[in-house]
Amino acid sequence: MLNIIICGAPGCGKGTQSDLMVEKYELKHLSTGDLLRNEIALKSDLGLEAESYISKGNLVPDKMIFDILSKAIAEQTKNSKGIILDGFPRNVAQAEALETLMASLNKEITLLIDLNVDNEELIDRLIKRGETSGRSDDNLETIKKRLAIYEQKTAPVSDFYKQKNKYAAINGMGTIDEIFGRISSVIDSKR
Ligand code: AMP
């Protein structure tokens, strides 16, 4: 089974590369950002609460994320070739909760893939995405805040998986195919 975490700053290409991994390795894609945006579109209580954090560029509370994600992980790891976690864990507390959940399901994380892209390029990509995405958080002020929160809270998740020897840094600059080629070689070396 391949249970992969794809990690990297906002705009690094996690969603695009996840789609390619889903196709090649027949994995289930779980994106916490997509799950939350879905709740926002439904105007559910959870969605309304989440939007107040997301639109300011802040992380939503861990409990809220874990409540929606733990059920999805349990379901998607059943009878599947594995999962891709995109946008989770976003901090070390979430990584610890994930390890406990996976152990309780008798599964484990195979690898964290860390997509590295220069900050200037990230800002460029997110501003461009904002022209069409309609996302409340794709504007310069919020982008800068999300990048700062990423450095402060999410980057330490890499160290957590480095210590477990389950970490691969990938150069996230270049064409989509070039980047996917790099990701595939790392995954193939783990199978
Ligand atoms: P994303 O689509 O992954 O960039 O997520 C968009 C926004 O959703 C983030 O800026 C956070 O506000 C929120 N979010 C997504 N995943 C998480 C998470 N694991 N923990 C906390 N907040 C999250």
Side-chain angles (χ1 to χ4, degrees):
M1 203 175 186
L2 273 176
N3 294 316
I4 295 189
I5 298 170
I6 183 145
C7 192
C12 73
K14 295 189 290 282
T16 306
Q17 295 298 330
S18 294
D19 290 345
L20 296 172
M21 283 190 273
V22 163
E23 204 175 308
K24 177 163 180 184
Y25 299 102
E26 297 172 57
L27 305 176
K28 308 277 184 186
H29 182 206
L30 289 171
S31 153
T32 42
D34 286 350
L35 288 171
L36 292 169
R37 282 184 289 275
N38 192 33
E39 294 291 330
I40 292 170
L42 293 171
K43 296 194 167 35
S44 68
D45 287 348
L46 190 148
L48 292 175
E49 197 187 340
E51 171 70 352
S52 65
Y53 294 92
I54 293 175
S55 61
K56 295 190 191 81
N58 290 319
L59 296 181
V60 310
D62 290 347
K63 185 178 178 319
M64 188 190 282
I65 285 288
F66 210 65
D67 284 351
I68 52 172
L69 194 66
S70 50
K71 228 170 46 191
I73 290 180
E75 268 163 28
Q76 303 290 6
T77 49
K78 247 191 258 161
N79 307 321
S80 83
K81 295 195 176 173
I83 54 172
I84 300 176
L85 291 173
D86 163 1
F88 181 90
R90 272 303 221 278
N91 58 36
V92 172
Q94 291 182 6
E96 282 165 349
L98 175 63
E99 288 300 302
T100 307
L101 173 70
M102 293 301 276
S104 76
L105 297 170
N106 236 344
K107 315 270 186 220
E108 62 175 326
I109 294 298
T110 314
L111 184 69
L112 178 145
I113 292 174
D114 188 9
L115 269 185
N116 296 324
V117 174
D118 296 346
N119 259 18
E120 253 175 56
E121 165 91 12
L122 291 170
I123 293 173
D124 254 23
R125 288 187 192 177
L126 290 167
I127 296 276
K128 275 205 193 90
R129 185 172 81 183
E131 288 165 6
T132 53
S133 69
R135 281 177 56 159
S136 60
D137 55 352
D138 282 342
N139 59 76
L140 189 58
E141 193 189 338
T142 313
I143 289 167
K144 286 190 171 158
K145 178 138 174 223
R146 286 158 65 206
L147 290 173
I149 290 183
Y150 178 80
E151 278 308 317
Q152 187 196 347
K153 302 209 164 142
T154 311
V157 172
S158 294
D159 294 330
F160 184 89
Y161 285 96
K162 265 181 209 163
Q163 281 160 15
K164 296 181 182 296
N165 267 330
K166 292 182 174 179
Y167 173 86
I170 299 281
N171 174 2
M173 308 279 286
T175 67
I176 290 173
D177 287 346
E178 280 164 358
I179 299 163
F180 188 59
R182 294 173 197 139
I183 291 179
S184 297
S185 340
V186 173
I187 294 181
D188 294 342
S189 72
K190 288 274 172 185
R191 299 168 89 201

